[in-house]
């Protein structure tokens, strides 16, 4: 069955960086739109960054210029480079995959179009 596994989370000071990874099994990431979402206590899950089949990326306004999403198709791995972290970036970060037509239709940073989800990795910024 399809599995998405996030790693790379941790506790850092404001201004520092982290790199999240998402490895997949039984899923070819070059056939899906891939994204990272985050969810903080008391908040709804929000889209952070997404990358389509053609490599086109989209970002939440709150992370533009600080976060970069990328993927290594050969390794079936998705990355999120997070720089200049702020306390408000503290959340559980999830990797997600969805069929591109549906994701584009519903919105690349909206959870509704994503079919597969990881269990999340915690990022804490103080």
């Amino acid at each position: 069955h399809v599995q998405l596994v996030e790693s790379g989370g941790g506790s850092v000071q404001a201004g520092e960086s982290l790199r999240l990874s998402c490895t997949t099994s039984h899923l070819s990431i070059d056939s899906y739109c891939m994204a990272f979402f985050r969810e903080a206590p008391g908040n709804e899950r929000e889209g952070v960054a997404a990358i389509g089949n053609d490599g086109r990326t989209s970002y939440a306004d709150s992370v533009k210029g600080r976060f970069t999403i990328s993927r290594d198709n050969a390794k079936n791995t998705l990355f999120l480079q997070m720089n200049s972290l702020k306390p408000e970036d503290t959340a559980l970060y999830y990797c997600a995959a969805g069929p591109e037509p549906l994701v584009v239709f519903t919105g690349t940073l909206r959870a509704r179009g994503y079919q597969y989800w990881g269990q999340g990795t915690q990022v804490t910024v103080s």
Side-chain angles (χ1 to χ4, degrees):
H1 63 283
V2 173
Q3 280 191 308
L4 281 67
V5 179
E6 304 92 340
S7 61
S11 296
V12 297
Q13 298 292 315
E16 294 183 343
S17 300
L18 282 173
R19 189 192 196 203
L20 303 184
S21 299
C22 171
T23 56
T24 69
S25 58
H26 303 287
L27 182 147
S28 296
I29 65 171
D30 58 354
S31 299
Y32 287 82
C33 186
M34 303 295 297
F36 279 97
F37 287 75
R38 66 186 181 188
E39 188 171 335
N43 291 352
E44 291 185 357
R45 189 169 298 190
E46 65 168 336
V48 175
I51 184 166
N53 292 355
D54 60 358
R56 187 177 302 182
T57 58
S58 55
Y59 296 92
D61 287 344
S62 59
V63 306
K64 281 180 181 177
R66 300 188 297 124
F67 291 11
T68 303
I69 191 169
S70 62
R71 65 183 184 209
D72 184 334
N73 291 339
K75 296 182 178 180
N76 255 354
T77 303
L78 182 72
F79 302 101
L80 184 69
Q81 178 66 42
M82 305 187 295
N83 298 329
S84 303
L85 283 161
K86 304 176 180 180
E88 50 263 46
D89 294 319
T90 295
L92 189 61
Y93 283 71
Y94 297 91
C95 174
E100 180 135 343
L102 180 59
V103 168
V104 171
F105 179 75
T106 57
T108 55
L109 294 180
R110 293 183 180 272
R112 185 178 176 185
Y114 290 87
Q115 183 177 7
Y116 301 106
W117 293 84
Q119 294 299 306
T121 185
Q122 179 67 36
V123 172
T124 303
V125 186
S126 58

